[in-house]
Amino acid sequence: MTENAQQQPPAPDSELPTQYAPADVEGPLYERWVERGYFEADAKSEKPPYTVVIPPPNVTGSLHLGHAFEHTLIDALTRRKRMQGYETLWQPGMDHAGIATQNVVERELGKEGKSRHDLGREAFVERVWQWKAESGGQISGQMRRLGDGVAWSRERFTMDEGLSQAVQTIFKKLYDDELIYRAERIINWCPRCLTAISDIEVEYQDDDGELVSITYGEGDETLVVATTRAETMLGDTAVAVHPDDERYRHLVGRNIRLPLTDRSIPVVADAHVDPEFGTGAVKVTPAHDPNDFEIGQRHGLPSIAVMDEHAVITAHGPFQGLDRLEARSAIVAALRAEGRIVAEKRPYVHSVGHCSRCKTTIEPRLSMQWWVKVGPLAKAAGDAVRDGKVKIHPQEMEKRYFDWVDNLHDWCISRQLWWGHRIPVWYGPDGEVVCVGPDDEPPTGEGWHQDTDVLDTWFSSGLWPFSTLGWPGQTESLAKFYPNSVLVTGYDILFFWVARMMMFGLYAMDGTPPFHTIALHGMVRDQFGKKMSKSFGNAVNPLDWMDKYGSDALRFTLARGANPGVDVPIGEDWVQGSRNFANKIWNATRFALMNGATVQGPLPEPSAMSATDRWILSRLNSVVAEVDAHYEDFQFAKLSDALFHFAWDEVFDWYVELSKTVFQAGGEPAEVSKRVLGEVLDVTLRLLHPVVPFVTDTLWTTLTGGESVVIAEWPTDSGFRDRAAEQEIEALQSVITEVRRFRADQGLQPGQRVPARLTLDGTALAPHEAAIRQLLRLQPEGDAFTATATLPVAGAEVALDLSGTIDVAAERKRLAKDLAAAEKEMAQANAKLGNEAFLAKAPENVVDKIRGRLAKAEEDIARLRSQLDRLPQA
């Protein structure tokens, strides 16, 4: 353990208030940290670097409980590394969140009776920038409330000037390397947001629909197809069957009539068709289905688009101008009138894709878009993990990562929006296409115009680990802080964000991955394990709990539930419990200061210490080692739990209590214990600081007189262990715990004094008689002492005189009655469990319940018999 803050004596007027008031402490303390530059990172420093980027929150609103959870974990890691002597950079910033932000601002315009088209592109984008300025400030304020130790001077935004240059640079590089291209393909189209969205932005859910079976063709040349989207039949250009399907062999190569139209379409043979599913024949609509598009490409089929960007039917005829759902009903009715409906199934539950932003049903649509050829990029991203350059934690998440990157389709990166990074491509009057880099002058002159689309948000956020450090410039920050040490993020954006960063980082930075480790965490859920959502009524604003219980309480609760890759349940009563823990730390430190606990001077030699002193220092070193091991394995729940139990149970409930008798007696042992208590609190507060920063800094500076625990040294394990002292105190704890349990069983009040005779000679407990008597409220035996109960524990014996405190006869009668009831319960349970006929018929949960009753009865019997044995005969 270090003796970090022992250079300065505590300030003479440094007294703690009787109660901890987080609201009075947190705000001013955080501003002091920022003003002193504790969180800034110096690229010129010779310290080893430790870098983490913030998963940039969308600029669309406020931080939710999931953000608070993630930020707590990152802040704990970076605070510890800072204390360990690393040049630590926690990079802050926000994402422009193209679709989401444009939707928000358009809704605001709608309240004024306007649309973005009323403003025009430039004025609309300016309006979004104004909105960003307001919302971004709100997010920064919430991060400060939580205690985020980010380097505020380095704050970035995915559309600021530097990051815009990075986007243009990598687009041009990818374009020149023929890894970006423009092509007409099937994309996911949102008729509400009026833009393409990527596969990972589509949320699938089971919806009630209809499955209709329709007869195509006439006479002997007919077959039946089934569809859930009858409206797309207007764009059918073929019917496909499997090449080996004998039922339709005679139709392959022929044309059949497409109902409700004046067109004939071919029957094609394609191995994609499953002959066992439905009728074995499928309609082919290349302009409105990704699989059909591939079939169309293989067979040279035309693609006929029958819907516009609003999902309104454009095909000529009676259905033109109808919304897709209106058209579906009208087309089915028309087919029914012609006698072409063979079967109808309603409701037909099937998986349907929805826009993750607005929840509108997406429409597969043939569209000209920009694409990234991900093959070589995805292979490099997979190989980096397979080769061990990047580790995924927990390791079992690797399979999900490989399943994604090994099967990645080309990425549609263009979006039909106004807010975002505009695609840096210009088109000329004679069909010219020019990609412009950040240092290039765009072509000018009559007929030249820039592409109107913007880039997918994940394109710019995929550059985050290096664009925030000044790339494409060769900056000192880039040289110092790239690659990142660890990425802490949720498993839910492993595909959205993590894979994009891996592909771009390896490509742009000459094969160097963007981070060494990917530490994945779960999602925050309510105390019943249900996903938090405003629609469920269980969403929590983290500010509410921070206002009520303090930021430390929220942080500790979140960290204590953080097992790698596993969802985190949280309830308000748990936050309240963490608030109680913060109060406990406060009260125990205040007691220690009032009793002279100090960090001044070296620790006394072990030979000068009592067994209690040596025990707590031995345990302290073990906890330092345990906490370090858990940090390295990202086991936040385990390290928080270890600190909770050590601080509350061992330091506050045992060592502080045992020290009271020593302090009262005074002398050299008291001076030794004051120094040991100061050391234990100093180290414990430093260990707790990364997770609960506010209360620990307030207490540590008061205890030690140091400048701030933020810049204090992280404790190290000195190697001191004293197993003999640990065993001695464990025996002492056994005596106190057992006698307390017996007192409680007899109905004695905690403060009620009882005459007792202690037989401790020849045991390690002999030096602890004063502590045992004080903690157990045991008074000397006196001349009239009568041992009415004797408890042998840990080689010692505690004899109690209960004659003046309880009615022994009445107590024996009560215990005997309870024992008889427990024995009856055991007999009944054994009878049922021994009945084969009952076991054969009873449900498993009923049998389990009876087994539980038996176990409880057996436990009660053992306890009651023990209590009776300890009482004297009446």
Side-chain angles (χ1 to χ4, degrees), residues 749-789:
Q749 295 300 314
Q752 190 171 352
R753 294 197 167 273
V754 177
R757 180 175 63 236
L758 305 184
T759 306
L760 308 176
D761 293 344
T763 74
L765 297 172
H768 302 287
E769 179 168 353
I772 293 172
R773 287 191 177 277
Q774 179 166 320
L775 292 176
L776 291 173
R777 304 297 189 267
L778 302 179
Q779 61 192 42
E781 52 195 279
D783 296 336
F785 179 81
T786 301
T788 59

Side-chain angles (χ1 to χ4, degrees), residues 654 735-745 775-776:
W654 282 108
V735 170
I736 293 171
T737 301
E738 186 62 25
V739 176
R740 279 177 174 167
R741 183 182 298 117
F742 178 76
R743 286 173 58 106
D745 287 342
L775 292 176
L776 291 173

Side-chain angles (χ1 to χ4, degrees), residues 55-289:
N58 288 349
V59 71
T60 49
S62 58
L63 300 185
H64 53 63
L65 205 54
H67 289 119
F69 171 57
E70 186 168 78
H71 290 202
T72 294
L73 305 187
I74 300 173
D75 197 41
L77 290 175
T78 52
R79 284 179 182 270
R80 172 175 174 262
K81 286 296 182 179
R82 191 176 292 111
M83 295 171 75
Q84 287 182 315
Y86 287 79
E87 192 63 33
T88 303
L89 169 61
W90 182 10
Q91 173 66 53
M94 283 177 283
D95 195 293
H96 68 278
I99 297 176
T101 304
Q102 180 156 320
N103 282 347
V104 170
V105 178
E106 286 195 82
R107 281 198 298 271
E108 293 298 312
L109 281 175
K111 296 175 184 177
E112 303 171 15
K114 297 178 182 178
S115 73
R116 60 180 164 126
H117 300 284
D118 294 325
L119 272 66
R121 185 164 191 150
E122 288 187 14
F124 176 77
V125 170
E126 181 60 33
R127 181 72 173 260
V128 182
W129 276 106
Q130 292 172 8
W131 183 89
K132 179 264 176 187
E134 299 168 7
S135 180
Q138 181 181 6
I139 291 172
S140 297
Q142 290 172 309
M143 291 171 61
R144 290 168 183 268
R145 279 292 311 276
L146 190 64
D148 287 2
V150 299
W152 285 112
S153 68
R154 293 173 173 266
E155 187 174 10
R156 304 303 299 268
F157 180 55
T158 52
M159 279 188 61
D160 66 27
E161 184 177 351
L163 270 65
S164 294
Q165 185 181 34
V167 167
Q168 273 191 274
T169 300
I170 201 162
F171 187 100
K172 180 79 162 59
K173 180 174 169 59
L174 288 163
Y175 183 87
D176 291 345
D177 289 345
E178 298 183 348
L179 292 173
I180 280 184
Y181 63 94
R182 192 168 183 245
E184 193 173 45
R185 297 264 185 95
I186 291 286
I187 47 89
N188 303 301
W189 181 264
C190 176
R192 159 62 186 80
C193 297
L194 297 180
T195 182
I197 60 175
S198 65
D199 291 342
I200 51 179
E201 291 171 304
V202 178
E203 293 179 348
Y204 287 89
Q205 66 184 50
D206 288 341
D207 286 356
D208 287 345
E210 60 180 355
L211 181 67
V212 293
S213 298
I214 309 166
T215 301
Y216 279 32
E218 303 288 352
D220 294 335
E221 295 184 345
T222 62
L223 39 67
V224 176
V225 299
T227 181
T228 58
R229 302 172 67 223
E231 69 278 8
T232 64
M233 68 167 292
L234 300 176
D236 286 358
T237 56
V239 173
V241 297
H242 194 275
D244 299 330
D245 195 329
E246 294 292 337
R247 294 171 294 175
Y248 305 115
R249 187 180 295 275
H250 67 290
L251 291 177
V252 175
R254 297 187 181 184
N255 288 340
I256 61 172
R257 181 180 170 239
L258 177 65
L260 305 183
T261 72
D262 58 1
R263 292 191 292 117
S264 291
I265 57 176
V267 177
V268 299
D270 195 281
H272 172 76
V273 180
D274 181 0
E276 303 298 323
F277 183 76
T279 64
V282 297
K283 59 192 287 298
V284 181
T285 321
H288 293 280
D289 183 274

Side-chain angles (χ1 to χ4, degrees), residues 181-185 367-371:
Y181 63 94
R182 192 168 183 245
E184 193 173 45
R185 297 264 185 95
S367 179
M368 182 67 75
Q369 302 285 343
W370 286 94
W371 304 80

